[in-house]
């Protein structure tokens, strides 16, 4: 029996409470918790459908028909939605208004099959007025947007499942065994990072010198004012311009005719000018200028600015923005639009006037236009929600630290976008001095610039950050200049020669990579954060500070893609795919025809299937090799990168392998650095002594997985340096008849605190004897052992294990201490001191929230629900509010499902036809 309630389905559980409060008891608001179904895995495809759907879960011969199944973790969610549907007389699908949100709404319809009226409800901010307005202004499901999203999903499955296996066979594994993967956009991002590193590797630095001096304007003798000074830099010598960094190309060659000072000439000229001690003002040039504010944030520019100003990763920035949106503080955070609604423009102008005065805004409102080709997705820019903006100070008590910083950034950018231009005047002064150098008088000209803002305008509220660029070192710092006139004589002091070297293009940061991806039209702003997260997780790039450094793994992957999938990783081709998806979203292109051309080929392109089926032979060894010098080659193998070094005197001999330090960036591996690694003394392979228990030699070695101890038979014919114990030669082994394999020698890894250079025989023997028996549990009679494992030191009693706080405790822990550890609860608050951070009780469970360090990284827990801290966030970023939200989100998803022996029923649906 229907209750007359209207069922509202949103994506995120955090929206439910607010929206329920705004709509009242006539509505029931539930969450789908994102997607409820996806393409099936191979094991979930019934036997009678294996032929058609078995490879991709897509029937490529039947209009690319996808085979979907409800996710295992969403069965409970679907059951709850179906229960609520039985008592509803109307359904409002209130998922996000973008392609993915539209597709989620379509999947809900396909699974729930409601018999009552269905309406699509959309809103861009979670405020009472916006939600009530959205209920009154619903629309039909936009099947063109659904088509675009489903095309993207099918496209990515076809691309990834055809190309990724080639990487597995020819390159290997990613970081920590994570499988390599190739994706339509995911492959373009590491290629950009690798291309930048290649530029840095090919770069040749050029040196140049100039002269800096402190120019001093003397105060009048009868005045109370002090002398005024400013920094000047040598610009011309005898009328010829002095070389700057921008005058050299990437090969270290000059691009135009300029004077290049070497160190000797610069020092001689500086000494001569210091001797003269004065310079005269020969020119003053003043130019007015204006600066306009930047438009309000889009998804992309928000990620960039959060990276520059707040040091947030793209993923972290989007997570914080998502929380602000769901709490009702900002509008929807996935948008390509820079446009503001009339009410937002009015709110921003009113706030600017109230804070900075009537002149703070121009006479006419500023109107920004979006560059997005997809008009259906061009929502408002990201801005504070509501008809009147709340100031950052007024909401500080409702937000955690990161939310407060993000809201402050969005508020400032929005208000500034409607403010007046800043006005300034830049003055450049030229000073001349004639100085004798080696008997020849040289005419030297120094310049300095100073900028004075006559009206700050929007700069009162906000100034955009900027990425590092080449040539920044040549730009003089902005400074104030005294009042000067042509003919004035200034003192020249602290005249110093300055040496410089040109630098390569800076590495990408997350912010600059997002900007570059957007400029090339690759991917969608809403996907940039996940793209960067994937390439970090796969080990294609690592972070050095803010910079993204490609790994040698990425070099091998990109080389394979460039040589064998050139069309698929071409930047223009990848951007064209995005344009095609936009065309499908606008209803201008047909989904099935487009997928057929992409996969099977057309006159304009060869097609993915043809490319994969005609790859030919791929030499994996050559693919994973980068020549460093005539005798040295960088290779990427199963266990990572290493140097293959050929003996120039015997090139037929097996090459020597040399390990590469993990923190060595590719552009730092020059021929000189490689030779330094080759010539370095070999760490390890040092005989520590004889084991008195069995007479075997104990040797410390440095292996691929770190330093370790190994026992060897003393009769092995080896030559040992008696002064150091290092094995310096190994005699060739005689061929013997095949016999049963000898038992493997005992080995043991060194603790992290130990060194191959300082470890002694006694310590090595203790390592070899691990695990160590601590004693016997008097109650159970089971022995307790202390040992080292994959996740660190621990105690073991039968099948019950407990973590130890340090490796040294493996040797030192006593039976009494071990029993005390086992007497404590295994989970929860075992020891207060083990928590990385502690907060008040969770409002639901009533238990204290703690941040702990687990085997898979730091996690938040209330003793019942554990949530891993996501990549891009640190323990320091976690506040009580964030911790509560993380636990609430995880609790809403429910426990991870157990594998059931029987396969669950699946439903399959074609993508919707065009309206």
């Amino acid at each position: 029996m229907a209750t007359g309630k209207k069922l509202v389905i949103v994506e995120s559980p955090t929206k439910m409470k607010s929206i329920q409060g705004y709509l009242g008891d006539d509505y029931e608001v539930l969450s789908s918790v994102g997607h409820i179904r996806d393409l099936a895995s191979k094991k979930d495809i019934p036997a009678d459908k294996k032929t058609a759907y078995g490879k991709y879960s897509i029937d490529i011969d039947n209009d690319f028909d996808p085979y979907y199944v409800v996710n295992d973790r969403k069965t409970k969610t679907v059951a709850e939605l179906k229960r609520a549907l039985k008592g509803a007389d109307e359904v409002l699908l209130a998922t996000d208004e973008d392609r993915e949100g539209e597709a989620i709404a379509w999947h809900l319809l396909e699974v729930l099959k409601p018999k009552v009226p269905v309406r699509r409800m959309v809103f861009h901010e979670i405020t009472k007025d916006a939600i009530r307005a959205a209920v009154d202004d619903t629309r039909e499901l936009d099947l063109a947007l659904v088509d675009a999203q489903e095309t993207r999903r099918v496209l990515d499955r076809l691309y990834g499942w055809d190309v990724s296996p080639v990487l597995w066979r020819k390159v290997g594994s990613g970081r920590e065994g994570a499988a390599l993967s190739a994706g339509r956009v995911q492959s373009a991002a590491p290629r950009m990072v690798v291309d930048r590193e290649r530029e840095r590797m090919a770069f040749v630095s050029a040196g140049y010198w100039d002269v800096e001096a402190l120019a001093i304007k003397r105060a009048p003798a009868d005045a109370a004012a002090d002398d005024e000074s400013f920094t000047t830099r040598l610009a011309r010598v005898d009328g010829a311009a002095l070389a700057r960094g921008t005058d050299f190309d990437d090969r270290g060659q000059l691009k135009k005719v300029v004077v290049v000072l070497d160190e000797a000439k610069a020092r001689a000229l500086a000494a001569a000018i210091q001797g003269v001690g004065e310079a005269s003002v020969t020119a003053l040039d003043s130019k007015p200028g204006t600066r306009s504010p930047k438009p309000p944030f889009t998804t992309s520019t928000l990620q960039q600015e959060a990276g520059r100003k707040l040091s947030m990763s793209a993923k972290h920035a989007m997570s914080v923005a998502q929380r602000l949106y769901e709490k009702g503080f900002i509008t929807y955070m996935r948008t390509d639009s820079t446009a503001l609604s009339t009410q937002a423009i009015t709110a921003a102008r009113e706030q600017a006037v109230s804070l900075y005065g009537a002149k703070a805004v121009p006479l006419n409102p500023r109107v920004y236009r979006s560059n997005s080709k997809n008009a259906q997705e061009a929502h408002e820019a990201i801005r504070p929600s509501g008809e009147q903006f709340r100031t950052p100070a007024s909401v500080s008590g409702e937000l955690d630290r990161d939310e407060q910083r993000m809201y402050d950034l969005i508020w400032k950018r929005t208000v500034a976008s409607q403010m007046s231009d800043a006005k300034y005047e830049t003055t450049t002064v030229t000073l001349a001095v004639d100085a004798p150098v080696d008997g020849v008088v040289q005419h030297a000209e120094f310049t300095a610039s100073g900028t004075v803002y006559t009206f700050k305008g929007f700069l009162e509220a906000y100034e955009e950050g900027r990425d590092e660029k080449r040539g920044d070192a040549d730009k003089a710092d902005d400074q104030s200049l005294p009042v000067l006139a042509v003919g004035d004589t200034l003192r020249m002091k602290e005249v110093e020669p300055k040496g410089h070297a040109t630098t390569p293009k800076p590495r990408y940061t997350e912010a600059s990579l997002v900007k570059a991806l957007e400029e090339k039209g690759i991917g969608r702003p809403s996907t940039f954060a996940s793209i960067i997260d994937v390439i970090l997780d796969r080990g294609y790039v690592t972070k050095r500070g803010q910079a993204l450094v490609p790994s040698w793994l990425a070099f091998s992957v990109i080389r394979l893609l460039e040589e064998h999938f050139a069309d698929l990783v071409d930047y223009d081709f990848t951007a064209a795919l995005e344009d095609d998806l936009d065309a499908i979203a606008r209803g201008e292109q047909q989904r099935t025809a487009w997928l057929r051309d992409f996969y099977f080929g057309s006159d304009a392109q060869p097609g993915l299937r043809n490319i994969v089926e005609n790859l030919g032979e791929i030499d994996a060894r050559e693919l994973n090799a980068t020549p460093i010098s005539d005798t040295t080659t960088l290779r990427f193998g199963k266990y990572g990168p290493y140097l293959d070094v050929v003996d120039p005197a015997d090139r037929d001999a097996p090459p020597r392998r040399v390990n590469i330090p993990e923190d060595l960036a590719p552009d730092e591996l020059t021929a000189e650095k490689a030779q330094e690694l080759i010539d370095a003394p070999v760490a390890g392979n040092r005989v520590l002594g004889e084991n008195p228990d069995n007479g075997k030699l104990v040797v410390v070695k440095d292996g691929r997985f770190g330093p370790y101890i190994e026992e060897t038979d003393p009769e092995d014919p080896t030559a040992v340096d008696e002064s150091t114990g290092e094995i310096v030669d190994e005699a060739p082994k005689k061929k013997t008849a095949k016999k049963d394999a000898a038992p493997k020698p005992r080995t043991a890894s060194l603790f992290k605190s130990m060194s191959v250079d300082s470890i002694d025989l006694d310590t090595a023997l203790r390592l070899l004897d691990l695990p160590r028996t601590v004693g016997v549990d008097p109650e159970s009679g089971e022995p307790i052992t202390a040992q080292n494992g994959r996740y660190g030191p621990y105690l073991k009693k039968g099948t019950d294990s407990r973590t130890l706080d340090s490796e040294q405790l493996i040797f030192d822990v006593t039976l009494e201490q071990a029993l005390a550890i086992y007497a404590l609860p295994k989970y929860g608050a075992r020891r207060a001191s083990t928590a990385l951070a502690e907060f008040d009780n969770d409002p639901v469970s009533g238990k204290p929230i703690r941040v702990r360090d687990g085997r898979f990284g730091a996690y938040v827990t209330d003793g019942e629900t554990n949530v891993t801290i996501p990549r891009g966030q640190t323990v320091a970023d976690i506040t009580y509010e964030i911790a509560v939200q993380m636990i609430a989100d995880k609790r809403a998803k429910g426990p991870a499902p157990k594998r059931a022996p029987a396969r669950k029923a699946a439903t399959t649906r074609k993508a919707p036809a065009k309206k």
Side-chain angles (χ1 to χ4, degrees):
M1 189 79 182
T3 63
K5 282 194 174 185
K6 295 176 174 59
L7 174 62
V8 180
I9 305 177
V10 297
E11 283 186 41
S12 170
T14 55
K15 299 178 186 178
M16 291 166 47
K17 185 176 181 180
S18 296
I19 295 176
Q20 183 71 72
Y22 296 147
L23 294 180
D25 294 337
D26 291 337
Y27 295 80
E28 181 175 9
V29 183
L30 295 176
S31 167
S32 69
V33 197
H35 284 278
I36 60 169
R37 67 175 189 171
D38 196 6
L39 291 172
S41 60
K42 292 182 180 180
K43 66 180 178 61
D44 289 327
I45 299 175
D48 62 337
K49 295 185 180 294
K50 288 285 187 185
T51 302
Y53 296 94
K55 183 174 182 181
Y56 307 105
S57 302
I58 298 165
D59 186 351
I60 61 175
D61 295 319
N62 184 24
D63 293 337
F64 296 90
D65 183 42
Y67 191 86
Y68 291 110
V69 296
V70 174
N71 298 333
D72 287 341
R73 287 184 292 181
K74 293 303 176 68
T75 53
K76 184 177 179 181
T77 299
V78 170
E80 177 67 12
L81 292 173
K82 287 182 176 181
R83 177 207 60 76
L85 183 59
K86 291 179 180 178
D89 60 10
E90 189 176 36
V91 176
L92 295 174
L93 300 174
T95 51
D96 295 342
E97 193 187 11
D98 54 18
R99 293 177 187 171
E100 190 169 13
E102 207 75 12
I104 291 173
W106 175 74
H107 282 289
L108 286 166
L109 279 182
E110 291 292 307
V111 173
L112 298 178
K113 295 181 174 57
K115 300 292 192 300
V116 295
V118 177
R119 293 188 290 156
R120 182 77 168 94
M121 170 183 165
V122 294
F123 46 86
H124 303 140
E125 60 185 20
I126 302 177
T127 59
K128 184 175 182 178
D129 290 342
I131 297 302
R132 296 300 313 182
V135 170
D136 296 334
D137 187 23
T138 57
R139 61 169 173 80
E140 295 295 318
L141 195 68
D142 190 332
L143 296 180
L145 282 183
V146 176
D147 267 350
Q149 179 62 27
E150 294 304 289
T151 302
R152 178 189 295 274
R153 184 69 190 94
V154 170
L155 166 63
D156 289 343
R157 172 61 66 92
L158 295 173
Y159 190 118
W161 284 31
D162 267 353
V163 180
S164 294
V166 182
L167 301 184
W168 303 337
R169 294 193 302 268
K170 300 301 180 181
V171 178
S173 298
R175 187 175 66 191
E176 297 177 359
L180 298 185
S181 62
R184 177 180 50 86
V185 178
Q186 172 191 320
S187 300
R191 184 188 176 192
M192 292 174 68
V193 179
V194 167
D195 281 347
R196 177 59 55 86
E197 196 74 5
R198 287 168 173 165
E199 293 180 74
R200 292 173 63 88
M201 294 167 74
F203 178 79
V204 177
S205 181
Y208 61 98
W209 286 71
D210 60 16
V211 178
E212 287 187 3
L214 191 67
I216 301 174
K217 179 185 177 182
R218 300 185 184 90
D222 58 346
D226 295 328
D227 293 347
E228 296 178 88
S229 62
F230 56 95
T231 301
T232 64
R233 181 181 289 186
L234 183 64
R236 289 174 291 276
V237 176
D238 291 335
L242 210 64
R244 300 292 185 215
T246 53
D247 296 327
F248 296 89
D249 63 21
D250 286 354
R251 304 304 302 169
Q253 303 298 313
L254 285 171
K255 296 185 287 187
K256 62 182 181 180
V257 178
V258 289
V259 174
V260 181
L261 291 185
D262 58 22
E263 181 177 3
K265 291 179 181 178
R267 292 192 180 280
L269 186 56
I273 294 170
Q274 182 78 45
V276 174
E278 291 183 338
S280 59
V281 178
T282 58
L284 283 169
D285 183 25
S286 295
K287 292 182 179 180
T290 60
R291 287 180 58 188
S292 298
K294 295 292 183 180
F297 282 130
T298 62
T299 302
S300 169
T301 54
L302 177 63
Q303 291 174 13
Q304 294 171 46
E305 199 71 340
R308 298 185 194 111
K309 287 183 175 290
L310 307 181
S311 298
M312 288 185 182
S313 68
K315 182 178 181 180
H316 187 192
M318 290 308 294
S319 174
V320 176
Q322 176 92 28
R323 296 201 302 269
L324 285 173
Y325 165 65
E326 292 176 349
K327 291 180 177 181
F329 287 95
I330 64 171
T331 54
Y332 191 52
M333 69 289 158
R334 292 192 180 93
T335 175
D336 295 340
S337 176
T338 55
L340 290 176
S341 65
T342 301
Q343 73 171 25
I345 291 174
T346 301
R349 288 171 62 86
E350 288 178 351
Q351 201 145 69
V353 170
S354 68
L355 292 171
Y356 307 112
K359 292 183 179 180
V361 297
L363 182 62
N364 297 315
R366 294 183 184 274
V367 178
Y368 298 96
R369 300 192 182 279
S370 172
N371 292 324
S372 173
K373 297 178 183 178
N374 193 346
Q376 292 182 355
E377 288 190 277
H379 311 317
E380 260 195 284
I382 304 170
R383 64 167 177 86
S385 60
E387 295 184 2
Q388 291 185 327
F389 296 165
R390 290 168 285 183
T391 63
S394 69
V395 301
S396 60
E398 304 173 65
L399 303 176
D400 63 42
R401 177 176 176 270
D402 281 349
E403 292 168 353
Q404 174 72 24
R405 295 163 70 212
M406 179 70 77
Y407 183 80
D408 181 72
L409 190 70
I410 294 170
W411 177 87
K412 286 179 178 176
R413 177 81 166 221
T414 308
V415 172
S417 73
Q418 287 300 315
M419 292 177 66
S420 301
D421 289 343
K423 299 179 180 179
Y424 63 88
E425 187 171 76
T426 299
T427 301
T428 301
V429 59
T430 301
L431 307 176
V433 56
D434 292 325
V437 179
D438 295 333
V440 178
V441 175
Q442 293 191 320
H443 184 70
E445 292 178 288
F446 288 77
T447 60
S449 294
T451 298
V452 176
Y453 279 90
T454 55
F455 178 69
K456 296 201 71 174
F458 74 92
L459 293 177
E460 293 276 9
Y462 178 83
E463 182 169 9
E464 187 181 47
R466 59 189 299 272
D467 296 316
E468 179 191 359
K469 293 182 179 179
R470 280 199 298 184
D472 286 352
D474 289 328
K475 295 180 181 178
D477 294 334
D478 198 26
Q479 57 185 328
S480 297
L481 298 180
V483 177
L484 298 170
V486 174
D488 285 352
T489 299
L490 307 181
R491 292 171 58 197
M492 300 291 277
K493 293 188 66 177
E494 300 179 16
V495 184
E496 297 181 3
K498 297 285 186 179
H500 308 276
T502 57
T503 57
K505 292 180 181 178
R507 291 190 177 94
Y508 285 110
T509 62
E510 288 199 26
S512 61
L513 182 58
V514 165
K515 182 178 181 181
L517 287 168
E518 184 177 44
E519 288 174 347
K520 289 183 180 293
I522 296 172
R524 303 292 294 177
S526 59
T527 65
F528 292 155
S530 61
I531 290 168
I532 292 174
D533 192 49
V534 166
I535 65 177
L536 285 166
D537 185 60
R538 293 289 183 263
Y540 294 153
V541 299
T542 56
K543 295 185 77 169
R544 179 182 289 186
Q546 293 294 317
L548 298 176
V549 183
S551 64
W552 288 109
L553 168 66
F555 274 76
S556 294
V557 168
I558 297 305
R559 185 179 296 134
L560 183 149
L561 295 176
E562 288 174 335
E563 293 178 1
H564 301 280
F565 300 92
D567 289 340
L568 298 183
V569 294
D570 178 76
Y571 294 135
D572 292 337
F573 177 77
T574 306
L577 293 185
E578 292 297 337
D579 291 339
D580 290 341
L581 289 171
D582 284 345
I584 294 172
R586 296 191 299 268
E588 299 169 1
Q589 199 154 345
Q590 207 277 329
R591 165 187 180 275
T592 303
W594 186 89
L595 280 170
R596 188 179 298 113
D597 288 346
F598 170 79
Y599 189 71
F600 293 109
S602 65
D603 294 339
Q605 61 188 54
L608 178 62
R609 170 181 271 189
N610 293 329
I611 293 173
V612 173
E613 290 181 349
N614 295 281
L615 283 176
E617 287 298 319
I618 299 177
D619 187 340
R621 181 172 173 81
E622 182 64 26
L623 177 73
N624 292 288
T626 302
I628 304 298
S629 68
D630 291 342
T631 58
T632 306
T633 302
L634 181 285
R635 296 194 183 278
F636 189 87
K638 182 178 180 181
Y639 302 106
Y642 62 92
L643 293 178
D644 229 357
V645 185
V646 174
D647 184 353
D650 185 6
R651 291 184 174 271
D652 294 330
R656 174 187 166 197
R657 288 190 174 189
V658 176
N659 290 334
I660 297 175
E662 288 185 6
D663 58 351
L664 188 69
D667 75 329
E668 296 169 354
L669 186 60
T670 60
E672 293 76 15
K673 181 62 179 179
Q675 193 60 49
E676 179 184 323
L677 295 173
I678 294 167
D679 295 339
V682 179
N685 285 21
R686 183 167 60 91
V687 176
L688 300 178
E690 184 179 293
N691 185 341
D693 294 336
N694 56 25
K696 293 189 175 185
L697 294 180
V698 179
V699 182
V700 60
K701 297 185 175 183
D702 194 10
R704 284 177 179 162
F705 304 107
Y708 67 100
I709 303 296
E710 182 180 83
E711 281 185 336
T712 63
D713 292 324
E715 59 269 18
D716 286 349
T718 56
V720 179
D721 185 329
E722 294 184 0
S723 62
T724 64
E726 185 179 336
I727 299 173
V728 296
D729 185 33
E730 195 163 322
K733 295 180 180 179
K734 296 179 181 179
K735 292 185 178 180
T736 59
K738 189 173 182 179
K739 59 181 180 180
D740 293 339
K744 290 184 178 181
R746 286 200 305 166
T747 61
S749 296
L750 269 64
F751 290 173
K752 294 177 181 178
S753 58
M754 298 176 181
S755 165
V756 293
D757 300 322
S758 58
I759 189 169
D760 55 31
L761 178 61
D762 289 341
T763 304
L765 292 174
R766 296 178 76 186
L767 289 172
L768 288 170
D769 287 338
L770 293 179
R772 165 180 164 253
T773 300
V774 179
V776 176
D777 184 342
E779 292 186 5
S780 65
E782 291 182 299
I784 300 175
T785 59
Q787 51 198 299
N788 223 348
R790 181 180 180 185
Y791 304 109
Y794 66 101
L795 293 171
K796 187 173 183 181
K797 180 178 66 172
T799 58
D800 191 2
S801 60
R802 300 298 174 90
T803 300
L804 290 172
D805 290 336
S806 70
E807 290 176 315
Q808 186 58 39
L809 283 175
I810 296 174
F811 291 152
D812 298 343
V813 66
T814 65
L815 177 60
E816 183 180 3
Q817 292 170 329
L819 293 173
I821 292 173
Y822 272 103
L824 294 170
K826 185 169 185 178
Y827 301 109
R830 191 176 76 196
R831 287 190 299 268
S833 61
T834 64
L836 302 178
E838 298 188 23
F839 303 107
D840 291 338
N841 293 347
D842 180 79
V844 176
S845 69
K847 296 182 179 181
I849 297 176
R850 294 183 172 88
V851 180
R852 296 191 177 280
D853 192 13
R855 61 176 58 182
F856 301 113
Y859 65 96
V860 176
T861 181
D862 65 344
E864 295 181 355
T865 304
N866 300 336
V867 192
T868 301
I869 295 176
R871 182 183 300 278
Q873 285 186 270
T874 65
V875 174
D877 296 327
I878 304 301
T879 62
Y880 173 69
E881 292 79 7
I882 293 176
V884 169
Q885 187 64 56
M886 291 171 67
I887 291 173
D889 290 346
K890 180 67 175 292
R891 189 184 290 120
K893 293 181 180 179
K898 296 180 180 179
R899 291 184 179 271
R903 290 193 177 118
K904 57 183 293 184
T907 58
T908 178
R909 286 284 185 270
K910 295 183 181 180
K914 288 282 177 233
K915 292 192 286 186

